[in-house]
Amino acid sequence: MAAKPNPTIRRRRLGAELRQLRLASGLKSKEVAERLMVSQPKISHLENGNRATSPRDVRDLCAIYGVTDQQVIDSLMEMARESGERGWWHPYGGHADSAYIGLETDAASLHTYAPMMVPELLQTPAYAQAVIEETIPLPTAEQAATRLKVRLRRQHRIYDPARPLHLQVVLDESALRRVIGSPAIMRGQLEHLNALSAEPHITMRVLPYTAGAHPGLPGQFSILQFAENPQVGVVHLERFANGLYLEKPSDVQYYSAMHDHLQTRALDPAGTRDFIADATKTYAALQP
């Protein structure tokens, strides 16, 4: 059975196609907005993939851009219909990370640098719950439970036998030393990390304090790549409210080179397992 199209990916691909058609027509977004009798921000949102596009909008835009090839029009309209579908995460409400979850769900590989805590895809339920409760200002019990459910559901991607997400993770030593929840929770989390590191599709490296200054000091970042177009990637920079997405090839190349540099500065996978095992013993000694 064919995989169900990912609405987030479809929106972004459709937006990119519409932008290329507009540029080829020589029209400014303001001019297009005036012809459609809509606001200019709507055109920007459509082109950035921030909102679903109706087949009718696609038909009207194709007319404005002078597209006459019916196969092209039909293909774009089908993409518009697929972009309006709901992903598995939508029933959980307006999740702040819904755009990122859509990309992550469809990604073939993920390269990430985590300076402060264990990445969400690798968190144990107890660690994830502690992070949610301690980082969200005044969460209600319902909000905390929903976020935990969504986070654990996202982890299905790394256990999918048909297409497991290939992970290249660089963990700063700070993520292992910061006690989140309790020593017992940290011990369980580190044991979980070492178990995951044995998976063939997961490569984990620890960047120890002794590595000194390095390009990752400004903060966390992730690079997502997709099977349908391995040459195109998306960089995600995590922020307090909404994440920042970089898609220019030069930006993706820059962060990919940065991640490669961090991997060379970090411990190799075998040394990482030993390092995590030693840190685990430290937390075991702190338990009553």
Side-chain angles (χ1 to χ4, degrees):
M1 181 182 295
K4 185 177 181 180
N6 185 308
T8 303
I9 300 300
R10 288 293 179 269
R11 284 200 301 270
R12 297 177 80 85
R13 284 191 59 194
L14 177 59
E17 294 284 350
L18 293 175
R19 183 173 186 275
Q20 288 302 315
L21 290 174
R22 178 177 62 77
L23 294 175
S25 73
L27 293 171
K28 304 286 187 182
S29 60
K30 181 178 180 181
E31 296 173 297
V32 176
E34 289 174 351
R35 294 195 188 188
L36 278 182
M37 292 186 290
V38 299
S39 66
Q40 184 176 357
K42 176 178 178 177
I43 302 301
S44 297
H45 285 309
L46 296 182
E47 293 185 355
N48 292 330
N50 293 332
R51 59 182 295 177
T53 306
S54 71
R56 179 176 178 175
D57 282 341
V58 169
R59 182 198 63 193
D60 293 345
L61 287 169
C62 284
I64 291 173
Y65 300 149
V67 181
T68 58
D69 188 326
Q70 193 59 46
Q71 286 189 328
V72 172
I73 297 173
D74 290 344
S75 175
L76 294 175
M77 290 179 69
E78 177 63 22
M79 206 179 297
R81 282 187 284 270
E82 293 172 347
S83 76
E85 296 291 329
R86 291 165 63 85
W88 65 259
W89 54 92
H90 283 100
Y92 295 99
H95 200 282
D97 299 326
S98 60
Y100 176 78
I101 294 173
L103 294 172
E104 181 185 81
T105 299
D106 209 53
S109 68
L110 173 65
H111 292 61
T112 188
Y113 167 62
M116 304 299 288
M117 66 179 183
V118 173
E120 294 178 357
L121 287 179
L122 307 180
Q123 294 176 1
T124 64
Y127 183 98
Q129 183 172 0
V131 169
I132 290 168
E133 292 177 349
E134 295 172 13
T135 60
I136 301 176
L138 303 175
T140 66
E142 183 179 2
Q143 288 173 330
T146 297
R147 282 183 173 266
L148 180 61
K149 188 177 295 185
V150 171
R151 188 164 304 182
L152 298 182
R153 173 63 178 80
R154 286 169 52 197
Q155 295 179 2
H156 290 188
R157 278 295 283 113
I158 62 175
Y159 299 111
D160 186 344
R163 57 182 196 103
L165 181 64
H166 290 265
L167 292 173
Q168 293 275 349
V169 181
V170 177
L171 278 170
D172 194 273
E173 183 176 347
S174 297
L176 306 180
R177 302 298 184 190
R178 176 169 288 99
V179 180
I180 292 179
S182 69
I185 289 175
M186 290 302 299
R187 178 184 179 181
Q189 177 61 70
L190 268 57
E191 289 174 344
H192 183 60
L193 287 179
N194 258 352
L196 288 175
S197 69
E199 296 289 338
H201 59 286
I202 298 176
T203 301
M204 205 175 302
R205 292 180 173 86
V206 166
L207 190 64
Y209 291 145
T210 53
H214 54 78
L217 287 178
Q220 180 273 347
F221 66 89
S222 298
I223 308 163
L224 302 105
Q225 293 180 303
F226 309 91
E228 63 183 23
N229 195 345
Q231 305 306 315
V232 177
V234 177
V235 176
H236 176 248
L237 305 178
E238 192 168 318
R239 296 293 184 266
F240 287 111
N242 296 307
L244 177 64
Y245 298 90
L246 307 177
E247 299 182 66
K248 292 197 311 186
S250 58
D251 289 332
V252 176
Q253 183 178 18
Y254 175 83
Y255 278 92
S256 295
M258 186 188 300
H259 195 271
D260 289 343
H261 182 77
L262 291 174
Q263 289 190 92
T264 62
R265 297 285 294 275
L267 301 174
D268 63 21
T272 289
R273 284 191 288 272
D274 292 340
F275 192 96
I276 293 176
D278 287 341
T280 303
K281 294 176 184 175
T282 301
Y283 288 118
L286 294 174
Q287 289 184 242

